[in-house]
Every structure is written in structure tokens, then in C-alpha cells.
Amino acid sequence: MQHQMIFVNLPIKDMGRSQAFFRALGYDFNPQFTNEQGACLVLGENLFVMLLVEEFYKTFTDKAVADARKTSEVLVCLSAQSREEIDTLVAKAVAAGATSPRAPQDYGFMYGHGFDDLDGHTWEFAYMVDASKALG
């Protein structure tokens, strides 16, 4: 089975603050799917994250919503074109209010680093020397 798109849904506390944070990193939002309750963060051609205000997020599940500052509910990992791209993005995130709880990971064939966003969600980025060989 092969899927064409991905939509990751994340609960957030403050829509304006979250949008400003991701815009500071160079991302944009699809206005067709963005309002005061949810914002469609565009990560790539077919890669999207729906930032949903917590009360709205709760309408999609009967489960308790995890506090990402205290528990890990998901680790979002995205590919990068280079180590420099990762370091630049993490630096921008930290300057915009994120934290970087772990040091960069350098495995020779793969380099990774990341940050926890304003709501505590972990965003990781990986550069693989030859991703096509590593992923089969």
C-alpha cells in the first residue's frame, strides 16, 4: 500500500503564537484550511501538519489529550537536504522560542538534530548521506 499524502494532527494552545513560530522558521500555511481553530502547516508538496487548538482537537478523539511538555505522544521527523539546513532550522526555532533538549546526533551516514516547539511537540530533522540506499 502506498499513500499519497500525510496529515499529522497536533494539539496547540495558542493559534496566533503557533503560526508566528512556524512562520519564523520559514514555513507557510494553506489559507483554504486555516482558521481560528486549525491551521494547515505546509511542510512539502504532500506533507501537512494540522495545528488544532486543543478544544477543537478534542472533538476528534475520546482519549485524553497528551501534554507534550510532560509526555511524548509523537516524534515528527523530516528529511533535510544537508547538515547545515538542519542546524539553521534548529537555530531559528530556538531563537523563536523553542528548546533543543538534545545535542545533534552524528552517525557518519546520518546526521540529526531537532527541537521542541512552543507546545512541547518534538520535531526532528535527519540528513542521510545517501537516503535512497538507506531507505531501500
Side-chain angles (χ1 to χ4, degrees), residues 116-127:
D116 288 352
D117 70 17
L118 304 178
D119 289 285
H121 303 293
T122 301
W123 296 77
E124 296 187 351
F125 302 89
Y127 167 69

Side-chain angles (χ1 to χ4, degrees), residues 29-88:
F29 294 86
N30 181 329
Q32 185 178 2
F33 300 103
T34 299
N35 60 31
E36 65 281 346
Q37 295 185 83
C40 182
L41 175 63
V42 180
L43 299 176
E45 185 176 346
N46 294 312
L47 308 171
F48 308 95
V49 171
M50 295 301 299
L51 302 176
L52 306 175
V53 174
E54 204 169 272
E55 288 305 311
F56 184 57
Y57 182 93
K58 288 178 183 179
T59 67
F60 294 95
T61 182
D62 293 330
K63 296 179 181 180
V65 177
D67 179 347
R69 295 181 180 281
K70 297 178 182 177
T71 62
S72 178
E73 86 288 20
V74 66
L75 298 173
V76 177
C77 185
L78 301 166
S79 63
Q81 298 297 316
S82 68
R83 297 168 56 111
E84 295 77 21
E85 181 181 59
I86 293 171
D87 292 339
T88 298

Side-chain angles (χ1 to χ4, degrees), residues 8-21:
V8 175
N9 295 270
L10 297 176
I12 60 168
K13 300 279 187 203
D14 184 309
M15 180 60 71
R17 187 171 175 238
S18 289
Q19 284 190 41
F21 172 78

